[in-house]
Amino acid sequence: MDTFEPVIVAFCCHYCAYTAADMAGSQRLTYPSNVKIIRVPCSSKVDALHIVKAFEMGADGVYVAGCLEGDCHFKNGNTRAARMVDYVQKYMDEIGIERERLEMVMMSAGMGYRFAQVATEITEKIRKLGPSSIHAAICRQHVDTCAVVVE
Amino acid sequence: MQTIQSQHSNRVLVIGGGMGGIRTALDLAEAEKNVILVDKAYAIGGLMTQLDRTFPTNNCDLCTLSPNLSEGSRQEFIELLTMTTVKDVKGEKGDFTVLLETAPRYINLDKCTACGDCHKKFPECVRFTPGLDHRAPTCMRYPQATPQAFSIDLAKCTDVEALMKCCPAGAINPDDMGRKREVSCGSIVFSSGGALFDPSHLDYLGYATQPDVVTSLEYERILSASGPTMGQLVRPSNGKQPKKVAWIQCIGSRGLQKGAGQYCSSACCMFALKEAIVTKERFQDDIETTIFFMDMRTMGKDYELYYLRAKNDFGVRFVRSRPHSILREPGKENLSLTYSAEEGGRNLTEEFDMVVLSTGFRVADDVKELAGKLGLQLNTSSFPKTDGFNPVVTSVPGVYVAGVIESPKDIPETMVQASAAACMAGRDLGITEKIEYEIAPLPLETLLVGEEPRVGVFICDCGENIGGVIDVATLAEFAGTLPHVAVAELKGHGCSRESMQQIEDTIKTERLNRVVIGGCSPRTHEAKFQEVVRRAGLNKYLVEIANIRDQVTWVHANHPDEATEKAKDLLKMAVGSVVRSQPLADHSLPMNKNVLVVGGGITGMTTALQLAEQGVKVFLVEKSAGLGGFAAGLWRTLEGNDIQAFVKDLISRTESHDNIQVITRAIIVDHSGMPGMFKTGMQTGKQMFYRQIEHGVTILATGALPNRPRLYLLDECEAVSTQRELQNLIEESPETVSSWDNVVMIQCAGSRTPDNPNCSRICCQNAVKNALRIKEINPEARIFVLFRDMRTYGFQEEYYQKARELGVIFSRYSLDKPPVVAASGSMVDVTFTDPIIGRQITVTADCLCLSTGLIADEDGNDELARIFKLPRTGDGYFLEDHVKLRPVDLPVPGFFVAGTAHGPKTIRESVGQALAVASRALTMLARDSINLGAAAAKVNRDLCAACLICVRACPFGIPFINADGYSEIDPAKCHGCGMCASACPAKAIQLMQFEDDRIIAKLEELFERNIA
């Protein structure tokens, strides 16, 4: 499993988390390149379907990043998003994907360091978990092009 | 820009391009008034561009400010002259003649792409401002400078030919002459800003000799990502990270040191708190932060909460003391700071790695000279004298001040005054006929129906920023292989004028219908590229930006391979998403040009009059029976101005103005519509008839209420009163006052407590005002002011000083040990412990006066917030859109707030805000229609089951089930969060610009590449 590089999707709200990601850049902080950001206007725009689709397509980890509690530009979008993430987690065990692969995080626009820290921690966690069962299955079908070594 | 210059004096000259000057210029330009903005620096932005973060949100300053800067550079009503100084001013209001001198830049602004080649090859020739900028990496003070161009010091260049050749854009012009030019203008806004106190001569602080003693601005530069250490916090002496940092307040303020101003600089306490918090945020327990202060002056809106957060959440240590000296003992690395403890008065010495001096504001010598040229009268501290009730009006008609040059202040207050000055200066131009300018019409948008996507990918190298980490040529080659991509090109700095022109041309010649930019963040540059594609004849929503700088090369600089792979992913995702993008129409609405002002106090009347005098019809709605508000019951200001006369004059002018309709006894009951076409219903008069008003803008000036806490025997003992009641007594029966022996005042009665944590801002100066008046009437009276922190900010400090000189005794108490009050016949015994002498004292007072301050009108504001759907702060005041840069704009478009409805403030400050909202309203009213953008939720009626989930999900209550039985979302009211779209079980709702198929497309592109 040494060569395993997880693919992680981060849905980031425009006002806080995406800005924090830019801030991490302007502070020249580093974090693993495994994390790919998709910008949304508010974390509450992220649909359970988007998350499930990401896993279906082979994501090893997904997280939704919104503003700090009470700081949402749209009043309560971040808490709604957190509830939605909770909800999806409940079904993840059922479909055979560890619930740890999905997370909700909150940060302010100024927290570049926190963005980098979260991205690093989540990548490490997913790396330890190994490829998701769907990712592994996809790899079994495409052994020639897939980087993951499957036993 | 040149074509729209008017020959007459029908424009405003704004001197100083700091954020205040920029705001003034933008307000005027948006109200379609011509402006000349001059700044002596190479780029506009002023002091704020040198800050790292701003309180209280700790946002990056540059990110907050730079969109405003570029807005400034592209407004067609603004002529921007950098490197320009004012040499002479003649004439009078309505017809000034000003001589301007522009120094040569030796660089053609239209050609320079700010690539930095000249600076790399000929660093000695590239000019930079000495002083603080000795730490700046280039002459361009920050990466987002406006104008985005370098500047050459020709005198230092030995080989001009070679210098010219090194510029790939051919922008260097050694024959640049500079020029003098006479311009005429109708009014002048003087917003030169402040200089910072230079502590070099104070040898006991060691600033001149110890590299680890820095000023607060220098510390800010060290923290800043665009600073000399690229955001690494290191000690200047040895490059190591400090473990212990101290701040010393009031350097150059409050008359403490040689050469210091007599005033309080107002902003430094929050500045130091912010620096300490940001430091703690970044290093947590790895660093200790200590602030040495005299009085913690966090009197702004919600600033007290920030102070509490610093203390309780971040563990910043506070020591109430003025350190005596900073020394470094020979052979030692650390600085020894000596100070005396407040209690016990012992001398203590403590070691620190770094000491930050919180230096205050002063008026620079060249600014003083310029004030002389403008003919302005100055006060004893060399700031221009201003009107007692109108902070932006100077001694010269037609010349207005804004920002720190009026008095020391922070960013939001500067923004307020900047808008206020715009209001006053714009009025001097009179109401002019709208001039139709010849602006080249935009080409018609190409129809995309049936067309296959043809995507153009343009990749920036951003100098070394992107190109230095990944091979952009390979990236462009890769982009060229992606489906639908017709063109993939490198663009150097895509945001430079030249590159944008090239992109526009390529779109036309290659018949592109979608564009992807691989560059920096869409947060800062999307609007710019949207303009480009629009100019090229495409709908502006057909462009997508892949953020390969901020989120790739800047964060993976040490892993170029990984960075390249990620950049490829992001480009692929952007292409996949943009091919699914559809042309979107911005929503726009016709503008109703009437204004509703709610609240008939000083603020409401001032706003109404300003607007009415500029030709706007105003409905002024007041819930009580008459105009005047809270201030009608006040007598004099701290400075001695007659409030009653001022209010009477306002009332009579308001009531007699043809453009103002005053509606008293009015209670607002309903509200509907959208910015530009609101309908507000109210019940008015004794019979409570229902009436509806149509208007385009709503201004809230509903004021605040006097607090009346059940504390210290108030309402139980006759000798106990509030400051307001004391003031009445002083003015109405001075003989009572002259019979008094002892007066005690207790500050923060009901403020800064767990129940009401904020500071009421006005009480300290009220106490000083009343104490001075008592001393005037009865010089023998002994007055004790029991305070927690004396918050006499700005020039109020001088009155505080005067009160001390007259023998008023100020004694500090702390929240956990408040004074004890007991009735004693008709008198009151007040017992308190003075921390300096360390003894308990009991005063039998003829009068105990409580500084009770203001509280928000909880019921009234709650009602209005509900009807208008406006957010409020924790303590019930209306919450502005952006606490820093948009202090009087409410988050709901078309709503503004001014005066004490925004938070406690003085009359002068309320008038300032009243003028500012008038200016902000005028920027909206100048338009004939309102653009609402395109990011709104759209319901597909065929899929909608009218299940009400969207109705419940929307935080703003916008969706409703219409007569046809499906959910309807008004695009003009939709805030664009997408909550309804994600909640909708039938997926009947799509949020434009963020449609589900575009998000899924991104996922598909990402995983197609990475998996299988």
Side-chain angles (χ1 to χ4, degrees), chain B residues 16-19 21-22 37-50 62 65-66 68-70 72-73 80-84 102-103 105 109 114 127-129 133 138-152 192 497:
Chain B
M19 43 145 204
I22 294 170
L37 175 62
V38 301
D39 197 304
K40 65 181 178 200
Y42 313 112
I44 54 172
L47 198 56
M48 187 173 170
T49 57
Q50 297 180 38
L62 274 179
L65 181 67
S66 51
N68 280 342
L69 299 186
S70 48
S73 67
L80 173 64
L81 298 172
T82 47
M83 300 176 73
T84 300
T102 304
R105 185 187 280 270
L109 284 183
R127 212 193 262 119
F128 61 90
T129 319
D133 279 3
T138 68
C139 74
M140 222 178 32
R141 289 160 75 173
Y142 51 98
Q144 298 93 326
T146 296
Q148 192 159 42
F150 280 76
S151 137
I152 301 291
S192 59
R497 249 163 283 229

Side-chain angles (χ1 to χ4, degrees), chain B residues 806-929:
Chain B
L806 288 173
V808 177
I809 294 164
F810 289 85
S811 172
R812 200 175 70 76
Y813 75 91
S814 60
L815 182 61
D816 51 8
K817 217 174 166 192
V820 178
V821 174
S824 156
S826 64
M827 316 263 265
V828 198
D829 283 342
V830 185
T831 306
F832 57 95
T833 306
D834 185 273
I836 309 278
I837 55 175
R839 274 174 52 189
Q840 189 169 300
I841 297 165
T842 301
V843 177
T844 304
D846 300 274
C847 168
L848 169 62
C849 179
L850 305 181
S851 290
T852 47
L854 295 173
I855 46 166
D857 177 2
E858 188 51 47
D859 296 341
N861 288 1
D862 184 54
E863 188 83 8
L864 286 176
R866 212 174 34 76
I867 293 171
F868 291 129
K869 299 207 165 67
L870 298 170
R872 295 193 298 150
T873 60
D875 49 0
Y877 294 101
F878 290 105
L879 178 63
E880 59 271 39
D881 188 35
H882 191 289
V883 292
K884 251 6 228 195
L885 297 179
R886 288 159 64 83
V888 295
D889 294 54
L890 287 165
V892 182
F895 281 85
F896 302 93
V897 65
T900 49
H902 164 277
K905 54 182 59 67
T906 65
I907 292 177
R908 247 171 82 89
E909 288 161 351
S910 295
V911 170
Q913 284 202 339
L915 300 173
V917 289
S919 175
R920 302 295 303 139
L922 288 168
T923 63
M924 268 187 84
L925 297 171
R927 286 176 256 160
D928 294 321
S929 63

Side-chain angles (χ1 to χ4, degrees), chain A residues 18-19 22-23 25-27 29-31 35-37 39 44-45 47 50 59 74-75 77 80 135 138, chain B residues 53 60 225 521-523 526 547 550-551 554-556 562 566 569 955 977 979 982 987 994 996 1007 1011:
Chain A
Y18 192 88
T19 310
D22 280 355
M23 177 73 71
S26 54
Q27 291 177 334
L29 305 172
T30 61
Y31 55 85
V35 173
K36 308 293 191 301
I37 295 169
R39 181 168 68 115
S44 67
K45 171 70 186 78
D47 203 316
H50 300 151
F74 303 103
K75 292 189 185 172
R80 271 191 84 91
H135 188 175
I138 294 171
Chain B
R53 309 294 166 80
C60 163
S521 178
R523 287 188 317 112
E526 192 170 52
N547 189 343
D550 302 33
Q551 295 181 4
W554 276 357
V555 287
H556 312 306
E562 289 171 22
K566 182 166 162 186
D569 285 342
C977 61
M979 244 179 258
S982 65
K987 297 296 123 203
F994 294 94
D996 286 331
F1007 288 104
I1011 315 281

Side-chain angles (χ1 to χ4, degrees), chain B residues 56 93 103 137 145 202 235 323 375 472 490 509 524 526 591 628 630 651 658 675 784 791 795 811 903 982:
Chain B
K93 175 166 142 180
L202 305 171
R235 296 173 61 173
V472 281
L490 294 180
T509 52
T524 50
E526 192 170 52
M591 183 80 205
F630 183 65
I651 294 175
D658 288 344
F784 300 85
R791 293 184 169 172
F795 298 127
S811 172
S982 65

Side-chain angles (χ1 to χ4, degrees), chain B residues 443-444 446 448 451 454-458 486-487 489 491 499-517 528-540 542-544:
Chain B
L444 284 179
T446 322
L448 297 181
E451 264 190 47
R454 281 177 64 80
V455 183
V457 181
F458 301 96
V487 177
E489 285 179 1
K491 269 293 158 276
S499 298
M500 291 208 284
Q501 186 58 49
Q502 287 168 10
I503 294 172
E504 188 185 326
D505 295 341
T506 310
I507 295 172
K508 287 182 194 154
T509 52
E510 297 288 332
R511 290 175 297 107
L512 302 177
N513 55 22
R514 303 284 195 289
V515 172
V516 167
I517 306 289
K528 252 185 168 175
F529 289 110
Q530 283 180 339
E531 273 178 22
V532 174
V533 300
R534 182 61 196 90
R535 279 203 302 272
L538 291 179
N539 180 279
K540 71 177 190 183
L542 299 175
V543 60
E544 173 121 9

Side-chain angles (χ1 to χ4, degrees), chain B residues 399-630:
Chain B
V399 178
Y400 305 95
V401 286
V404 174
I405 190 63
E406 185 270 328
S407 71
K409 60 177 60 65
D410 63 6
I411 293 169
E413 287 179 53
T414 297
M415 296 313 260
V416 167
Q417 285 196 344
S419 286
C423 175
M424 298 297 292
R427 201 176 74 162
D428 289 348
L429 303 188
I431 304 164
T432 46
E433 292 270 310
K434 248 194 186 175
I435 310 158
E436 292 300 326
Y437 296 115
E438 283 204 24
I439 299 164
L442 289 169
L444 284 179
E445 283 184 16
T446 322
L447 290 175
L448 297 181
V449 184
E451 264 190 47
E452 275 296 297
R454 281 177 64 80
V455 183
V457 181
F458 301 96
I459 295 172
C460 306
D461 62 23
C462 203
E464 292 289 298
N465 281 305
I466 297 172
V469 177
I470 54 184
D471 179 7
V472 281
T474 322
L475 202 59
E477 211 172 287
F478 165 80
T481 65
L482 296 173
H484 301 297
V485 172
V487 177
E489 285 179 1
L490 294 180
K491 269 293 158 276
H493 288 80
C495 57
S496 73
R497 249 163 283 229
E498 259 187 329
S499 298
M500 291 208 284
Q501 186 58 49
Q502 287 168 10
I503 294 172
E504 188 185 326
D505 295 341
T506 310
I507 295 172
K508 287 182 194 154
T509 52
E510 297 288 332
R511 290 175 297 107
L512 302 177
N513 55 22
R514 303 284 195 289
V515 172
V516 167
I517 306 289
C520 56
S521 178
R523 287 188 317 112
T524 50
H525 285 69
E526 192 170 52
K528 252 185 168 175
F529 289 110
Q530 283 180 339
E531 273 178 22
V532 174
V533 300
R534 182 61 196 90
R535 279 203 302 272
L538 291 179
N539 180 279
K540 71 177 190 183
Y541 294 104
L542 299 175
V543 60
E544 173 121 9
I545 297 185
N547 189 343
I548 62 169
R549 185 186 74 175
D550 302 33
Q551 295 181 4
V552 179
T553 54
W554 276 357
V555 287
H556 312 306
N558 300 328
H559 303 279
D561 291 343
E562 289 171 22
T564 307
E565 287 311 303
K566 182 166 162 186
K568 284 181 181 172
D569 285 342
L570 295 193
L571 278 177
K572 227 176 155 221
M573 289 160 76
V575 171
S577 166
V578 85
V579 297
R580 285 165 180 79
S581 65
Q582 290 300 325
L584 297 173
D586 281 345
H587 301 287
S588 73
L589 290 164
M591 183 80 205
N592 177 318
K593 301 210 175 189
N594 299 337
V595 172
L596 171 69
V597 177
V598 187
I602 284 184
T603 310
M605 288 191 286
T606 305
T607 303
L609 278 167
Q610 283 300 326
L611 290 169
E613 280 163 24
Q614 303 202 35
V616 176
K617 183 150 177 50
V618 182
F619 298 97
L620 180 61
V621 170
E622 164 62 39
K623 81 177 164 191
S624 69
L627 297 174
F630 183 65

Side-chain angles (χ1 to χ4, degrees), chain A residues 5 7-9 11 14-15 17-51 53-55 57-61 72-78 80 108-113 117 134-135 138-139 142 145-147, chain B residues 52-53 57-60 63 223 225-226 230-232 281-282 284 465 521-523 526 545 547 549-552 554-558 562-563 565-566 569-570 573 869 871 881 949 952-956 975-979 981-984 987 990-991 994-996 999-1000 1002-1004 1006-1007 1010-1012:
Chain A
E5 283 300 334
V7 185
I8 296 165
V9 178
F11 291 100
H14 175 83
Y15 290 94
Y18 192 88
T19 310
D22 280 355
M23 177 73 71
S26 54
Q27 291 177 334
R28 307 300 196 275
L29 305 172
T30 61
Y31 55 85
S33 65
N34 306 59
V35 173
K36 308 293 191 301
I37 295 169
I38 293 181
R39 181 168 68 115
V40 285
C42 174
S43 51
S44 67
K45 171 70 186 78
V46 181
D47 203 316
L49 278 175
H50 300 151
I51 295 174
K53 275 272 183 213
F55 281 117
M57 290 178 198
D60 299 298
C72 175
H73 195 80
F74 303 103
K75 292 189 185 172
N76 62 350
N78 49 355
R80 271 191 84 91
S108 82
M111 293 181 168
Y113 74 93
Q117 188 190 0
I134 294 174
H135 188 175
I138 294 171
C139 283
H142 305 271
T145 53
C146 201
Chain B
D52 174 41
R53 309 294 166 80
T57 50
N58 294 356
N59 274 346
C60 163
C63 307
L223 282 179
S226 69
M230 308 295 266
Q232 298 290 317
E281 257 180 354
R282 278 178 57 184
Q284 277 107 34
N465 281 305
S521 178
R523 287 188 317 112
E526 192 170 52
I545 297 185
N547 189 343
R549 185 186 74 175
D550 302 33
Q551 295 181 4
V552 179
W554 276 357
V555 287
H556 312 306
N558 300 328
E562 289 171 22
E565 287 311 303
K566 182 166 162 186
D569 285 342
L570 295 193
M573 289 160 76
K869 299 207 165 67
D881 188 35
I949 284 180
R952 291 194 199 104
C954 178
F956 303 98
H975 289 231
C977 61
M979 244 179 258
S982 65
C984 178
K987 297 296 123 203
Q990 288 295 328
L991 179 67
F994 294 94
E995 298 87 346
D996 286 331
I999 292 177
I1000 302 286
K1002 283 187 180 176
L1003 291 171
E1004 277 168 355
L1006 174 62
F1007 288 104
N1010 282 287
I1011 315 281

Side-chain angles (χ1 to χ4, degrees), chain B residues 15 86 89 190 192 365-375:
Chain B
I15 306 171
V86 174
V89 182
F190 188 36
S192 59
D365 293 338
D366 60 330
V367 172
K368 233 178 277 179
E369 198 186 312
L370 183 52
K373 282 177 193 156
L374 290 162

